[in-house]
Structures are given as C-alpha cells and as structure tokens.
Amino acid sequence: MFQDILDCSSKAITELQLQHQSDARPEDALVDDKKRVRRISSDDCIKEEGATANPHHQHKRRRSDDSVSLETPVPHYDGRQWRKYGQKHINKAKHPRSYYRCTYSKEQDCKATKTVQQQDESTGTDNPVMYTVVYHGQHTCKDNNGVDSGTDESETSTLSCSDSRSSISTTCTDPCDHQTSLGDNKLIEKSADLVTKSMYEPLDMNPFAPLDLDSWELDALIRFHLKPDN
DNA sequence: ACCATTTGACCGTG
DNA sequence: CACGGTCAAATGGT
C-alpha cells in the first residue's frame, strides 16, 4: 500500500511539474521552482503593499515585502510549530482567518507568523477544501531539536534537515480546519501524516516557507487518491 | 499548575 | 469609520 502511494505520488508529481511548467507566468518566476510556491496577487497583498510601516507600532498592517502566499489543502503540515494567537472574521470571507506565530517567537524572538484562511470554495464538490496560507517574516529560531531553521532567505539554499521527526509536528488545533481539511477519514489522515513526515526527512526544507511543497502536494494527492470521488 | 487556544477589545492604517 | 492584525484575560485540556 505504501509502495502504491509512493508510486501514485510520483506520477502525480511528474504531471504537476509538467503542468506547472506550462502554466508558468512571468510573475511566477519569483517562485522557487523546487518549492512551487504559488504567489497570489490577492487584494490583501495589494493593499498591504501600499501600507506604510511604522516599526514602533504593534497593531499595524503588514507589508507584503516578506510574505509568501500559497494555497494548500493541508495548512498545518509545514514542518513548523505554530501557536495560534488570534482569529478574526474577515470581511466578505465566509471563513475566519487564523493567526499563528512561531512557537519560539518569545524565547527566541522569532518573527515568523502566518495566517490561515479557508477559501470560499463550495463544499460538496470533489475538490478538497483549500486554504490560503500567508507566511510573514522569517524564522530566526532554532527548532526544538536545535536545528537552525535559517535566518535568511535561504529559498535556494538547502537546509540540513534534522534526522529527528519531532520537529515535524505542527500545532493543528483549529477545529474548523480539522473538520474541513482532515475530514472524516482517520485512515487517510494517518496515512497522509505518515507519508508527509517521512517525506520531510530526505527533502530539503525551506525555513521561511518551511513546507516542502512537494510534500504538501503529495499529501493532497494522497488524499485524492485514497478518497475516490465521494 | 502549566500551557495552548479562544475571544473580545484595542490599535493603526487607509 | 471600516478593516485587519495583535494583545491579553478567560477558558479548557493535560
């Protein structure tokens, strides 16, 4: 079964890569093709770009300078530990936006934050629920294994991924997210988790957009594959 | 008791 | 004034 999953996944990745290449746009050139992070030129980004920064104020709108957006059905499997610090209903959005910061934000003064928002896709289709995840700031912390998570934009550099799996666990406590993304199939959840974790180990990991998109897509693909059109 | 999450209030920006 | 982002007390789980 595991072999079947891997086989299926590699096929899907190949197709995705081909599709990605054909869909490549100029603005996507910014994206590291290894990670295949899709930058979204959303209204938020446009708005935030215009926002002025005042370092002395805490409650300010963020700039989009160092933010990376991506869409994923599994917003929590990004190899990082996050602590939720807020949730807000966003205008014209059906689902609330959750705000996370790095677990080590205090003890290690890590500035990395992320927001997770479920997209307004109509449920009931064969498409999985998708989430828009926006990463802000960069990890300046070391994870709980003492592995340097990187302090700069090492999108092209490879990170020495720890041989321990304990750093993989991410907080995933949003009941809404659980309900929608993880759904009702525990087996799928476990399988995807297992594969995702195992995939993290040999792969390079980006500390800023820490998830390896291959793994994310794998995760999603596995879900697709294991859950035929229901 | 400790820690993470929830939730309403607060603040800055546009 | 509306909106988005953060704070911090309350709450719940372990």
Side-chain angles (χ1 to χ4, degrees):
Chain A
M1 175 173 160
F2 185 71
Q3 185 61 42
D4 188 30
I5 291 173
L6 286 180
D7 187 35
C8 163
S9 302
S10 53
K11 283 183 192 172
I13 285 175
T14 303
E15 286 194 26
L16 277 172
Q17 284 174 334
L18 290 173
Q19 189 176 359
H20 179 73
Q21 285 172 4
S22 61
D23 287 348
R25 293 181 178 181
E27 58 264 34
D28 292 335
L30 292 170
V31 177
D32 182 356
D33 58 355
K34 184 181 70 177
K35 305 294 187 289
R36 297 207 300 281
V37 174
R38 175 180 163 196
R39 286 177 194 267
I40 303 167
S41 53
S42 63
D43 290 345
D44 278 355
C45 292
I46 296 172
K47 261 193 252 177
E48 287 173 1
E49 194 163 356
T52 58
N54 187 338
H56 300 297
H57 294 148
Q58 292 180 334
H59 300 164
K60 62 170 185 272
R61 297 194 180 180
R62 278 188 287 233
R63 298 167 49 177
S64 63
D65 295 5
D66 53 354
S67 69
V68 173
S69 303
L70 60 96
E71 296 174 7
T72 175
V74 283
H76 300 293
Y77 292 113
D78 59 4
R80 281 285 154 193
Q81 290 186 282
W82 301 95
R83 175 177 299 172
K84 190 173 185 177
Y85 67 88
Q87 176 173 307
K88 268 202 83 82
H89 180 265
I90 300 302
N91 211 18
K92 289 178 281 185
K94 248 196 278 184
H95 307 282
R97 176 178 298 173
S98 297
Y99 298 87
Y100 298 86
R101 65 164 54 101
C102 178
T103 299
Y104 311 106
S105 60
K106 264 195 171 172
E107 46 190 281
Q108 299 189 35
D109 195 34
C110 182
K111 300 289 197 296
T113 63
K114 78 170 182 179
T115 64
V116 175
Q117 184 167 16
Q118 182 177 336
Q119 295 181 354
D120 293 344
E121 305 277 349
S122 61
T123 57
T125 67
D126 51 352
N127 291 333
V129 178
M130 293 296 288
Y131 297 84
T132 299
V133 183
V134 182
Y135 291 90
H136 299 274
Q138 297 164 7
H139 282 283
T140 58
C141 63
K142 297 176 184 290
D143 64 22
N144 53 3
N145 292 303
V147 174
D148 189 357
S149 64
T151 56
D152 54 6
E153 294 191 13
S154 52
E155 293 193 9
T156 55
S157 69
T158 55
L159 177 68
S160 58
C161 186
S162 167
D163 57 352
S164 166
R165 299 187 184 188
S166 56
S167 65
I168 297 299
S169 64
T170 58
T171 56
C172 183
T173 56
D174 193 326
C176 181
D177 291 350
H178 268 300
Q179 273 183 346
T180 51
S181 72
L182 298 180
D184 46 356
N185 194 327
K186 299 285 187 188
L187 177 61
I188 292 177
E189 179 178 351
K190 281 187 179 261
S191 303
D193 189 44
L194 174 65
V195 172
T196 304
K197 286 183 178 180
S198 64
M199 291 299 290
Y200 277 129
E201 293 191 34
L203 294 175
D204 297 336
M205 290 186 43
N206 181 344
F208 178 49
L211 65 158
D212 189 294
L213 265 289
D214 289 344
S215 300
W216 282 62
E217 288 160 0
L218 264 177
D219 189 78
L221 286 167
I222 289 165
R223 291 166 194 275
F224 280 131
H225 197 64
L226 290 180
K227 193 156 113 185
D229 50 329
N230 278 341

